[in-house]
Amino acid sequence: MKEISYKPTIGLEIHVELKTKSKMFCPCKNDSTEKRANFNICPICMGHPGTLPVPNEEAIKKVIKAGIALNCKISKESKFDRKNYFYPDLPKGYQISQYDMPLCQNGFLNIGERKIKIRRIHIEEDTGRLLHSEKGDYSLIDFNRAGIPLMELVTEPDIKSGKEARKFAEELQLILKYLDVSNADMEKGEMRVEVNISLSKDLKNLGTKVEIKNLNSFKVVEKAVDFEIERQKEILERGEKIIQETRGWHDKKEITFSQREKEEAHDYRYFPDPDLPKMYFTDNYINKIKQEIPELPSLKRERFKKQFYLDENAIEFFVINKDLGEYYEKVVSEFEEWMKAEKIEIEKDFKITPENFAEFIKMIYKNEITSKIAKIVLEEMFLKGKDPSNIIEEKGLSQIKNANEIEEIVKEVILKNKKAVEDFKKGKKEAIQFLVGQTLSITKGRANPETAREIILKLLKEEK
Ligand SMILES: [Zn+2]
């Protein structure tokens, strides 16, 4: 028998909470971390009769900025529409969204060699949050989130695997952070990924679409897609049919499960919101936003490769940890200036390679070496051009990882420094710094100061 091979067709719908001071259509604070229920609400976001929405320009600008960064065509003319449906977390009975005239269309994002097309990016408002009681006998509604500006991005069904879905979401998050459009923290619900997936033998006749919702991490996005491909494949190979439905992800069992079957496509009765006039954007307006776009991750990767000859891991580390990448660049350029001033020639006299220097900064950042050790290592790197991990090994400078070993030293320090211990007990908090200093001095900087501090505090507490 000929083996039947099914090809997956996958598209993503991603919602992102925008980083603005106020909500989308009212002056309420945009703060999804607010713990006091129904604290950031007003008659506008509660949909009281007689109130009028006023669009938040900052939110619109941020979506346009994301659109430009994602190679979209920015609409010169756009509008808001009402998406009508009834749900308890939607106070107005409709959501203000965009239907046929989204802010951005026809973009793309490159994931390695693959180009994933973006169908549209539009702006809308978030809903409130429902909190169900444990027994399920009642539900509470918190409207703090209602009206927070949301960006919705829809890809074309270009994605082929769980890994690609994950990569797309990760790269998008990175870009949004670079643009300061959103923090896009998935755990906090600031970025929510939904997957549409179907399997078919030929791409002309697509299979039945299944939607997977509530994916709260990149890892889960990848796992859920891969699981769903296998699940659908098995059903099709048995000669059965896929049901059009919405599925969720079960974290412990690591499976998708049916949440609800879709009877019909929803009729949201979209129509232009009569309270909000059409929006028009001039070339000048769009160009100004374009000028605010910083160097994006893809360009930074290329530049770091060319300029500093770093390997892929180091580059990715500095691209993801943006602050550190900037710090690295700053130090390198200071080095260069200093060498110019000292008339040191880089080919002849300067022995530190960018590679080794990148590793050195990573070690400081990851707290693997203290500043005291860092000075010794840097000096050695400068004089002999060795790589930092070799120097640390040769000179026995590696950090003491064993907490018991540090504890023994701390005990000694406490015994020898009764005055400081007494001072601390009398409430002189600076005394702890002295004790940490003593511990570092005995270990020649090989103890992690944080660990030392914790152990000192622990032992002093026990003494009391
Ligand atoms: Zn409000």
Side-chain angles (χ1 to χ4, degrees):
M1 211 175 101
K2 210 178 123 199
E3 201 192 319
I4 312 162
S5 78
Y6 290 96
K7 291 197 177 69
T9 301
I10 303 160
L12 301 179
E13 279 179 38
I14 301 178
H15 284 90
V16 177
E17 280 180 0
L18 299 171
K19 206 166 147 187
T20 55
K21 283 201 187 90
S22 57
K23 288 189 180 179
M24 188 60 221
F25 298 107
C26 65
C28 288
K29 202 173 168 196
N30 170 0
D31 181 6
S32 57
T33 62
E34 176 59 62
K35 290 281 180 301
R36 291 163 291 186
N38 297 308
F39 187 74
N40 294 322
I41 60 171
C42 75
I44 300 170
C45 52
M46 288 301 93
H48 288 193
T51 57
L52 281 173
V54 177
N56 181 337
E57 190 185 1
E58 188 57 28
I60 293 166
K61 268 189 182 170
K62 288 202 155 151
V63 171
I64 293 177
K65 201 184 235 184
I68 297 170
L70 295 164
N71 312 294
C72 290
K73 189 171 170 286
I74 309 302
S75 305
K76 296 271 177 65
E77 196 181 337
S78 186
K79 68 174 167 64
F80 289 104
D81 299 280
R82 288 188 182 179
K83 182 180 180 181
N84 299 281
Y85 65 100
F86 175 77
Y87 206 67
D89 63 11
L90 193 70
K92 295 197 285 279
Y94 60 85
Q95 179 187 26
I96 304 178
S97 180
Q98 295 195 282
Y99 184 52
D100 54 345
M101 293 171 85
L103 286 173
C104 323
Q105 294 182 77
N106 300 330
F108 66 87
L109 175 58
N110 287 325
I111 305 300
E113 301 288 295
R114 297 257 299 127
K115 182 188 244 180
I116 309 296
K117 294 193 286 301
I118 293 164
R119 184 179 296 168
R120 57 183 280 154
I121 306 175
H122 70 255
I123 195 164
E124 58 186 31
E125 54 178 344
D126 210 346
T127 60
R129 223 191 278 259
L130 285 174
L131 305 145
H132 307 289
S133 73
E134 249 169 60
K135 280 189 195 162
D137 50 352
Y138 66 88
S139 297
L140 299 169
I141 315 177
D142 178 3
F143 286 114
N144 283 335
R145 206 178 69 177
I148 283 183
L150 271 190
M151 175 184 111
E152 182 177 336
L153 178 151
V154 183
T155 72
E156 293 294 344
D158 287 347
I159 293 165
K160 303 280 177 231
S161 67
K163 202 173 171 190
E164 268 185 22
R166 177 190 182 148
K167 272 193 176 171
F168 182 92
E170 281 176 342
E171 188 68 6
L172 177 68
Q173 184 200 50
L174 198 56
I175 290 171
L176 296 174
K177 282 184 178 173
Y178 268 59
L179 295 172
D180 203 30
V181 157
S182 172
N183 291 330
D185 186 329
M186 283 190 81
E187 267 175 40
K188 288 185 188 156
E190 292 166 346
M191 176 163 161
R192 298 162 227 158
V193 179
E194 284 164 41
V195 178
N196 286 311
I197 171 167
S198 68
L199 259 63
S200 63
K201 275 187 256 179
D202 60 281
L203 294 173
K204 275 179 210 145
N205 304 297
L206 294 183
T208 308
K209 194 163 78 179
V210 169
E211 200 176 309
I212 324 173
K213 283 194 167 182
N214 301 323
L215 305 171
N216 57 10
S217 76
F218 294 121
K219 216 193 270 170
V220 164
V221 169
E222 180 173 348
K223 280 184 182 171
V225 169
D226 288 341
F227 177 87
E228 197 54 28
I229 291 173
E230 285 309 310
R231 188 188 73 89
Q232 294 189 18
K233 210 182 262 177
E234 271 176 34
I235 293 173
L236 292 170
E237 276 168 7
R238 283 203 302 269
E240 289 167 27
K241 277 187 177 158
I242 304 288
I243 303 163
Q244 187 182 347
E245 61 183 347
T246 301
R247 297 178 73 85
W249 175 252
H250 196 295
D251 249 332
K252 285 204 184 102
K253 293 186 191 161
E254 303 211 321
I255 56 166
T256 65
F257 63 94
S258 180
Q259 283 185 319
R260 61 189 150 94
E261 283 183 27
K262 262 194 184 165
E263 315 83 46
E264 292 286 316
H266 275 287
D267 181 6
Y268 291 116
R269 295 181 293 118
Y270 278 101
F271 65 84
D273 193 308
D275 290 339
L276 292 156
K278 258 192 181 175
M279 297 175 276
Y280 298 93
F281 304 102
T282 60
D283 286 334
N284 195 18
Y285 188 86
I286 296 167
N287 279 334
K288 264 191 193 151
I289 299 175
K290 206 176 202 169
Q291 277 156 22
E292 286 171 23
I293 292 179
E295 181 183 43
L296 293 171
S298 55
L299 285 179
K300 190 175 225 171
R301 284 187 191 104
E302 275 174 37
R303 185 169 62 81
F304 266 46
K305 198 173 167 186
K306 275 188 210 147
Q307 198 173 338
F308 303 121
Y309 310 101
L310 296 176
D311 69 25
E312 254 175 50
N313 281 335
I315 291 172
E316 214 45 38
F317 179 83
F318 285 137
V319 170
I320 290 169
N321 299 289
K322 188 166 161 261
D323 294 347
L324 219 59
E326 280 159 13
Y327 176 70
Y328 173 78
E329 279 193 70
K330 219 166 107 188
V331 178
V332 169
S333 75
E334 269 172 35
F335 253 134
E336 280 170 354
E337 269 173 37
W338 172 74
M339 285 188 303
K340 264 182 219 153
E342 299 279 320
K343 298 208 170 58
I344 294 172
E345 282 179 49
I346 193 148
E347 285 85 7
K348 271 201 289 178
D349 308 316
F350 195 68
K351 298 195 176 77
I352 303 176
T353 65
E355 204 85 84
N356 286 345
F357 194 63
E359 172 159 16
F360 174 70
I361 286 183
K362 259 159 95 172
M363 283 174 155
I364 298 175
Y365 179 73
K366 289 184 171 169
N367 268 326
E368 288 168 7
I369 50 174
T370 54
S371 57
K372 195 171 174 177
I373 301 282
K375 275 178 205 151
I376 303 172
V377 173
L378 187 60
E379 197 183 334
E380 198 71 6
M381 284 167 75
F382 182 71
L383 291 172
K384 299 192 180 139
K386 288 183 189 159
D387 79 70
S389 48
N390 271 348
I391 296 168
I392 286 166
E393 212 184 295
E394 271 176 30
K395 300 206 158 222
L397 298 171
S398 65
Q399 204 163 78
I400 304 172
K401 292 236 167 67
N402 188 338
N404 288 335
E405 202 177 319
I406 300 176
E407 188 163 331
E408 286 311 309
I409 296 160
V410 167
K411 277 180 187 162
E412 201 181 308
V413 168
I414 288 176
L415 273 178
K416 278 188 188 154
N417 296 282
K418 293 229 166 74
K419 167 99 180 30
V421 172
E422 284 311 308
D423 285 348
F424 177 76
K425 284 181 181 166
K426 277 180 205 152
K428 238 180 141 184
K429 284 189 180 143
E430 312 88 79
I432 189 98
Q433 208 41 51
F434 175 78
L435 294 170
V436 172
Q438 289 298 304
T439 311
L440 290 186
S441 148
I442 291 178
T443 59
K444 299 199 172 67
R446 290 174 55 230
N448 181 311
E450 270 315 300
T451 316
R453 176 190 298 272
E454 275 164 29
I455 293 173
I456 293 167
L457 282 171
K458 188 190 87 178
L459 292 181
L460 289 182
K461 236 186 204 169
E462 283 169 7
E463 265 195 16
K464 266 185 186 173

